[in-house]
Amino acid sequence: MNFLNKARKKAEEALREIQAQAQAQTQGIGQSHQQNTNQYNPHQYPQQNQQQFSPPPQFHQQQHYPPPPSQGSQPPYSQQGYPAPPSNQYSSPPPQAFRDVPSTSTPGQQYPPPPPQPNRDQVHQQSYQQPPQVQPASVPQAHGAQAPAPPPQVAAVAPSVRDVGRKCLAKEPVIPFHTKFYCFIPSIGVSGESFTICSNCFQVNLASYNLASNFMEFRTTNENLRITCDFSFPRVRNTWYSQCIPRNTVQPLMDFPCFTETLSPCDGSTISSPGPFWITKNQTIPDLAICQTCFELFLRLTPFEGQFENKTYAETRDWSCDLAQPFFKRCLIAELENTNPSFQDLASEFNLRFKMPPCSGVGQPISTLENEKSQSLIFTALGGKTGNLCFACFSDCLANTSLQDDFGGAALTAEQKTTVTCDLASGYSKSAMEIAIQRCDSEVWRTAVGMVGKVGVCFGRKGTTEEEWEKKVAEHGSLAQWWHVTNHPSIEICPSCYWLFVRLFKADSVFSPVTRPLRAGIVRICFLAVSTTALDTPTKNPDLFENSLTWRGRRLRNAISTGSELGDFSLLLSEAASISQEPSPCGGNDRGFKSPSGRKWYGRISQNQASNDDCTIVMCEECWSRTVKGNRLQNEFSMDLTDAAYQNEGATGYMCQPYSNRARKELRDAAQRGDITSFARYWNTRAALQRKRDEWVLILQQQAIKMQMQNHQQSMNMMLKFNAQANALSRIGSAGIVEAAMSDPGVRYGNSQIGYDSYTRGRAEAEQEFRDAQNMDTGSGSSMSMAAQSQRFIQLAAIDEAAFKEYE
């Protein structure tokens, strides 16, 4: 029985037990469960953050959220904003219900045992909390298809060591300073970084064999190096036991680095091609597709290799490699590490994952998995703790990790299906959970996510004025506190980045609160501003980033991440010291600065305003240093324009003119060539296009006012027309009553428009008034004309905006 199905079975057993107890209580023969009444002591945050972790704000006391099992003195959910369910309500099973589940991740295969190794006689079998399941643990088979062939036998053995101290330490890239690695000795001729084995994998798999003499401890001084353990790939591990040991040679492992160079990297992106890719035979897992690279690394030479076949279709189709997704990779490795790997169990796990609904997203009702009893199942934190997860997020983030036992299956009531949300829906929550998994402590995630929504968001380059910050302090107290790198007061960070990033990476020890006196006109800019560029973007060149602030943010964030791994933040302090010596980051077109900021402004004043071969430009100190400083045109663009800039600062402050990477590149290239004319022509063209674009702002504002007034007038005309029609109809009705009571006078009243059918003059006049009211002009035609004109203006403005963007 596989991982998810076992959880489902245990959950249903717990449900039947609860229902039986409820029935016994009804008959007077049962005993009620004791309810824990201890007070819940939430994690302490500064001042007014005594809020509940993540339950939706619309939760009410009468709702019955499935509680975790009663454990000692854990608090009832009602004390956390999660009311306890009635005794007949389905809830997550007690942890002991899963403790008889065999481990799904014991290494090894069906081989003869290896030579004795130290500490292998006491193997700790880690138990896993099993989630509820929708389908029984059977593998869907195509009609008339034969069962999958048994896994091929390989003539080697993998030891069954599962205790925490013997797990692979580098399935994901890590810094090789605190994690010990081994590599080939120099005489082998394979560079150290090309093939590395973590200390745990070396001790478990290699140390007891004579071939271990071909390896030595790996050492490096490269602080930016991240490496993985090559024994984390099932192919390598099986190569060692099936080829190296029987043949008493390490040559197959020596060939592995060269072999991997022939493989294309797999990132899981969608590919449009007919193939080739690998699928399961007999459609055992009909939705699974695996690229050649992942098949070679994770399935080749394993017991499951024979369950797959290579497929190329006649037509092009969109597909992606599923092993690039964390759940499938972890699940496959865990099953292969079992003493008796079962492809049936693996297929059942994979098929169930494909059937799971995707996460509904942040703030949306949680997506649930329905079982055959029409119960809506989710995962919830055990032990009286907070946290609700959908099946998809649990599978992708927690299944087969160190924290999967912290959550158990639970069912929702009909009312809760519309109120409970997934606490792993956001990208930040997932990132925090990854760190929590690394530290084997779910409280790391719970603490981080508990601060979301309490500390606002980072405003990046726009920043906030000291006046605005003072208002936030009055509203949020110490949660609005800004921080700076200790001993580097100019490197300030916002409350959001401090609580959601610095604290998460345990770097708060190198930060201090900003305590300087407030000054009007000062703008606080967060130096941990987030960049959207790829994480592997080199930080040597600021032009590779959106702006210089996010460039600094990436440098500091990388240093914090590295320091967290090493337990040493000296790199962060070094980076902060370097940044503190650099000019203040350019505010671009997002933020202007006033004289209290103390910023310097440089540039050039055109000597001939009528000439297109000269120009006027004002830039901040940083842009000046990145473009003309030290170049042939430094003197031509180094006029101190600080006073002039602040005389024109206006209400929003003065903004740097060449704020874009394009403008700085044009100036830098011209300065290096000593060609002021070429830049002046570019700059004057850019300025003309910018003025033309900016003119549309006033035009479109005026057009919007005209449209508003036109719509208001049309509404008034419509009201007048309606009233005139109503009054005329009222008169027609009154005249009709009079005519009905009189005999035919022999005279008819009317005209060619209304006809000559009225007995009285009053009836005829009322008919004419109604016709006139119907013909009243409400201005709808002019409104349509005004709308068409507005649309035309918007199109022209868009053309001018695009023209400016080409030069910006």
Side-chain angles (χ1 to χ4, degrees):
M1 185 179 298
N2 61 36
F3 171 73
L4 296 173
N5 271 322
K6 284 183 283 191
R8 173 187 166 215
K9 180 179 179 181
K10 296 296 183 181
E12 291 174 349
E13 290 175 354
L15 172 63
R16 287 193 293 270
E17 180 181 354
I18 292 173
Q19 291 174 336
Q21 292 171 349
Q23 184 178 6
Q25 288 177 346
T26 303
Q27 298 173 352
I29 61 174
Q31 295 182 354
S32 62
H33 290 286
Q34 295 181 353
Q35 294 193 358
N36 194 322
T37 58
N38 293 340
Q39 293 297 316
Y40 175 57
N41 183 22
H43 183 80
Q44 297 297 316
Y45 299 123
Q47 290 204 8
Q48 70 272 33
N49 49 338
Q50 297 298 322
Q51 303 178 18
Q52 302 304 324
F53 167 65
S54 63
Q58 62 267 35
F59 266 27
H60 300 293
Q61 197 70 14
Q62 67 268 24
Q63 291 178 323
H64 302 295
Y65 193 78
S70 175
Q71 295 183 0
S73 59
Q74 294 293 345
Y77 264 63
S78 59
Q79 297 174 12
Q80 306 177 50
Y82 296 94
S87 58
N88 63 348
Q89 179 64 42
Y90 176 80
S91 63
S92 55
Q96 57 267 26
F98 297 102
R99 288 174 182 162
D100 59 343
V101 179
S103 169
T104 61
S105 52
T106 303
Q109 301 167 1
Q110 299 174 3
Y111 311 136
Q117 300 192 27
N119 298 326
R120 293 188 181 179
D121 55 336
Q122 297 179 351
V123 179
H124 171 66
Q125 299 290 337
Q126 179 182 357
S127 62
Y128 288 120
Q129 185 71 37
Q130 310 293 337
Q133 173 86 327
V134 179
Q135 301 293 340
S138 60
V139 181
Q141 299 286 339
H143 181 68
Q146 297 179 356
Q153 295 295 320
V154 187
V157 61
S160 302
V161 178
R162 194 61 181 173
D163 56 294
V164 174
R166 294 304 186 188
K167 288 183 179 180
C168 180
L169 300 174
K171 291 183 178 180
E172 300 296 334
V174 299
I175 298 176
F177 292 112
H178 281 199
T179 301
K180 186 177 180 180
F181 283 88
Y182 289 84
C183 63
F184 283 114
I185 58 178
S187 59
I188 293 293
V190 178
S191 65
E193 298 178 9
S194 299
F195 190 88
T196 53
I197 310 172
C198 75
S199 58
N200 278 4
C201 287
F202 183 84
Q203 292 298 326
V204 169
N205 299 284
L206 281 76
S208 60
Y209 294 95
N210 293 332
L211 292 176
S213 61
N214 292 284
F215 296 86
M216 60 177 288
E217 185 176 345
F218 174 75
R219 298 185 182 277
T220 181
T221 58
N222 185 357
E223 296 181 347
N224 296 320
L225 182 64
R226 302 290 194 279
I227 59 177
T228 58
C229 174
D230 284 298
F231 258 63
S232 66
F233 297 112
R235 178 192 179 114
V236 173
R237 193 163 176 269
N238 283 276
T239 297
W240 169 253
Y241 286 103
S242 65
Q243 299 180 20
C244 294
I245 295 176
R247 293 159 51 188
N248 195 33
T249 177
V250 294
Q251 186 63 46
L253 296 187
M254 294 166 56
D255 296 337
F256 181 71
C258 294
F259 170 72
T260 57
E261 293 178 359
T262 66
L263 302 175
S264 301
C266 174
D267 58 4
S269 58
T270 300
I271 302 172
S272 295
S273 74
F277 51 86
W278 292 83
I279 61 174
T280 53
K281 295 178 179 179
N282 302 321
Q283 290 292 295
T284 308
I285 313 176
D287 297 317
L288 183 68
I290 300 176
C291 71
Q292 184 69 32
T293 296
C294 288
F295 181 84
E296 294 292 346
L297 295 178
F298 296 97
L299 287 164
R300 184 74 76 186
L301 303 180
T302 71
F304 297 158
E305 178 181 355
Q307 305 290 346
F308 290 83
E309 61 182 353
N310 197 266
K311 183 72 174 180
T312 300
Y313 290 92
E315 71 283 355
T316 297
R317 57 178 59 194
D318 291 340
W319 64 279
S320 60
C321 178
D322 293 303
L323 279 190
Q325 306 305 316
F327 169 79
F328 296 105
K329 184 182 295 185
R330 290 197 308 264
C331 187
L332 171 62
I333 293 176
E335 189 62 44
L336 286 173
E337 289 178 343
N338 275 337
T339 304
N340 298 301
S342 168
F343 187 73
Q344 290 286 345
D345 286 352
L346 181 75
S348 185
E349 297 286 304
F350 278 22
N351 284 325
L352 177 60
R353 178 62 189 90
F354 282 120
K355 295 176 183 178
M356 291 181 188
C359 180
S360 55
V362 179
Q364 300 299 316
I366 191 170
S367 58
T368 61
L369 195 65
E370 305 293 322
N371 62 7
E372 65 273 13
K373 296 183 178 180
S374 299
Q375 292 176 310
S376 301
L377 307 179
I378 66 166
F379 280 89
T380 190
L382 302 177
K385 298 179 180 180
T386 51
N388 306 307
L389 317 178
C390 69
F391 264 69
C393 286
F394 177 88
S395 298
D396 295 341
C397 299
L398 285 164
N400 292 301
T401 71
S402 61
L403 296 185
Q404 67 176 5
D405 291 342
D406 287 12
F407 295 82
L412 298 180
T413 65
E415 185 178 8
Q416 289 170 335
K417 290 176 64 175
T418 61
T419 56
V420 176
T421 60
C422 178
D423 292 322
L424 267 181
S426 71
Y428 174 76
S429 182
K430 288 182 173 66
S431 298
M433 184 62 81
E434 290 180 9
I435 296 175
I437 290 171
Q438 294 172 8
R439 299 178 186 168
C440 301
D441 184 3
S442 61
E443 288 303 315
V444 172
W445 168 75
R446 195 167 285 109
T447 299
V449 178
M451 293 302 296
V452 175
K454 301 177 183 178
V455 291
V457 298
C458 178
F459 289 99
R461 190 164 62 169
K462 185 177 180 180
T464 181
T465 64
E466 301 244 296
E467 298 93 324
E468 294 169 338
W469 179 77
E470 193 173 15
K471 295 178 181 178
K472 292 185 180 295
V473 171
E475 296 175 2
H476 304 289
S478 62
L479 286 181
Q481 175 69 56
W482 278 61
W483 303 78
H484 69 84
V485 178
T486 302
N487 298 327
H488 300 288
S490 62
I491 312 300
E492 298 181 341
I493 66 170
C494 68
S496 176
C497 290
Y498 175 78
W499 285 102
L500 302 184
F501 184 79
V502 171
R503 299 267 298 193
L504 180 62
F505 282 87
K506 294 187 176 181
D508 49 298
S509 61
V510 293
F511 285 83
S512 303
V514 174
T515 58
R516 58 176 172 77
L518 298 181
R519 291 180 58 195
I522 296 293
V523 176
R524 296 190 174 192
I525 294 180
C526 178
F527 276 75
L528 282 181
V530 178
S531 171
T532 58
T533 58
L535 291 177
D536 58 354
T537 303
T539 57
K540 297 294 184 182
N541 184 4
D543 289 339
L544 298 178
F545 293 81
E546 307 94 320
N547 54 69
S548 64
L549 184 65
T550 58
W551 168 60
R552 290 173 172 87
R554 176 64 59 80
R555 291 160 60 189
L556 291 173
R557 284 175 176 264
N558 287 349
I560 290 174
S561 177
T562 300
S564 180
E565 289 185 68
L566 297 176
D568 179 5
F569 291 99
S570 57
L571 178 61
L572 169 62
L573 297 176
S574 175
E575 197 71 61
S578 176
I579 292 175
S580 66
Q581 299 302 313
E582 300 168 359
S584 299
C586 176
N589 58 348
D590 296 323
R591 169 60 73 177
F593 299 92
K594 299 183 178 182
S595 56
S597 68
R599 289 179 174 240
K600 303 287 291 183
W601 301 89
Y602 300 95
R604 174 181 177 83
I605 302 298
S606 175
Q607 303 301 308
N608 183 359
Q609 298 293 336
S611 173
N612 199 43
D613 294 339
D614 201 353
C615 64
T616 296
I617 184 172
V618 183
M619 68 194 86
C620 68
E621 184 178 7
E622 183 191 47
C623 290
W624 173 81
S625 66
R626 290 174 58 186
T627 55
V628 300
K629 183 180 180 181
N631 289 325
R632 297 168 63 182
L633 293 181
Q634 176 174 333
N635 293 335
E636 284 77 359
F637 287 91
S638 296
M639 183 181 296
D640 190 339
L641 300 175
T642 302
D643 292 340
Y646 289 131
Q647 289 173 7
N648 295 275
E649 67 183 23
T652 58
Y654 199 82
M655 295 185 181
C656 180
Q657 294 178 350
Y659 55 82
S660 66
N661 286 337
R662 165 73 186 278
R664 282 192 293 266
K665 182 180 185 302
E666 292 285 346
L667 180 55
R668 185 186 306 112
D669 292 347
Q672 291 172 349
R673 297 191 308 267
D675 184 4
I676 191 173
T677 301
S678 63
F679 175 76
R681 291 174 179 174
Y682 157 78
W683 187 252
N684 289 328
T685 301
R686 180 184 184 274
L689 291 173
Q690 185 174 14
R691 286 193 298 271
K692 188 176 181 182
R693 180 204 65 174
D694 293 345
E695 289 173 356
W696 282 109
V697 176
L698 180 60
I699 294 174
L700 293 177
Q701 288 177 346
Q702 293 174 344
Q703 189 71 6
I705 294 175
K706 291 179 181 179
M707 285 285 294
Q708 187 177 10
M709 294 177 61
Q710 182 69 38
N711 292 337
H712 177 71
Q713 185 62 47
Q714 183 179 356
S715 298
M716 293 295 296
N717 291 342
M718 289 291 293
M719 186 177 298
L720 292 174
K721 180 176 182 177
F722 174 78
N723 289 338
Q725 288 177 321
N727 292 336
L729 288 174
S730 178
R731 289 192 59 191
I732 290 174
S734 299
I737 295 175
V738 173
E739 288 185 355
M742 60 184 294
S743 58
D744 188 347
V747 180
R748 298 292 186 271
Y749 297 90
N751 56 42
S752 60
Q753 293 181 352
I754 64 173
Y756 296 89
D757 299 327
S758 300
Y759 284 8
T760 64
R761 188 183 301 277
R763 169 66 182 270
E765 292 174 350
E767 292 281 0
Q768 184 62 49
E769 289 177 0
F770 182 74
R771 186 173 183 84
D772 292 343
Q774 284 183 314
N775 294 331
M776 286 180 64
D777 182 12
T778 60
S780 59
S782 59
S783 293
M784 294 178 63
S785 176
M786 182 73 71
Q789 186 183 50
S790 297
Q791 186 64 31
R792 177 60 178 165
F793 283 172
I794 292 173
Q795 293 173 349
L796 294 173
I799 293 174
D800 288 342
E801 172 72 17
F804 171 69
K805 286 294 183 183
E806 291 185 5
Y807 273 78
E808 186 181 14

